[in-house]
Amino acid sequence: MADNSGLSPSDRDLLARTVYGEAADQGPVGQQAVAAVALNRLKSGKYGNSMRDVLMAPAAFEPWQTKASDLLKLSPNSTPYQSAAAAVDAAASGSDPTNGAVNFLNPQLVAARGDKLPAWATGQGQRIGGHVFYGGTPMASST
């Protein structure tokens, strides 16, 4: 059964765990931005036909490849989970601080690994918290 956000309870749970994995150290806007990217990818139809497909695609959301067991152990009653779930609810209700972005990265992590920016990371992007978002219409940066 889906709630008024259009997400089933299992999709909401999976997305909240993803937001936690990607942006637990970010504020509410940074967490909403990560949730919005996943929702924007699903809406586009180019990244998978279900939320699970979008989130579990290879190299799509790194925490599912690097710390899935930690994400699955996170208690829905915990404060970090509740914060991530609130961000998911806000994004699912239409709050998209990225204005349509479908990609994001943490430039410090990319640099620390000695990696090059991916081909999709063109232009200035939009910084929100510790991430830079690409593929939307840039708005004023926020923290």
Side-chain angles (χ1 to χ4, degrees):
M1 172 169 77
D3 62 19
N4 62 5
S5 70
L7 290 174
S8 70
S10 62
D11 285 349
R12 180 181 179 267
D13 176 70
L14 197 59
L15 185 50
R17 292 173 190 282
T18 303
V19 168
Y20 168 77
E22 290 283 3
D25 62 342
Q26 305 292 310
V29 176
Q31 289 188 3
Q32 284 175 28
V34 170
V37 165
L39 292 165
N40 292 340
R41 286 181 178 186
L42 182 61
K43 286 179 206 167
S44 80
K46 297 177 183 177
Y47 298 86
N49 295 322
S50 70
M51 183 56 67
R52 177 171 287 283
D53 289 348
V54 167
L55 298 176
M56 299 302 174
F61 291 90
E62 185 176 352
W64 287 112
Q65 280 79 56
T66 61
K67 55 185 175 183
S69 63
D70 292 339
L71 299 182
L72 294 171
K73 289 178 190 173
L74 184 64
S75 169
N77 296 320
S78 69
T79 299
Y81 181 98
Q82 292 295 318
S83 296
V88 167
D89 293 344
S93 295
S95 177
D96 181 358
T98 75
N99 204 26
V102 293
N103 291 303
F104 69 97
L105 55 77
N106 180 322
Q108 284 86 7
L109 288 179
V110 173
R113 288 188 279 218
D115 293 340
K116 292 182 180 179
L117 290 177
W120 50 257
T122 59
Q124 183 176 349
Q126 179 181 357
R127 180 173 286 280
I128 301 172
H131 293 114
V132 179
F133 294 80
Y134 298 89
T137 303
M139 300 187 311
S141 292
S142 55
T143 55

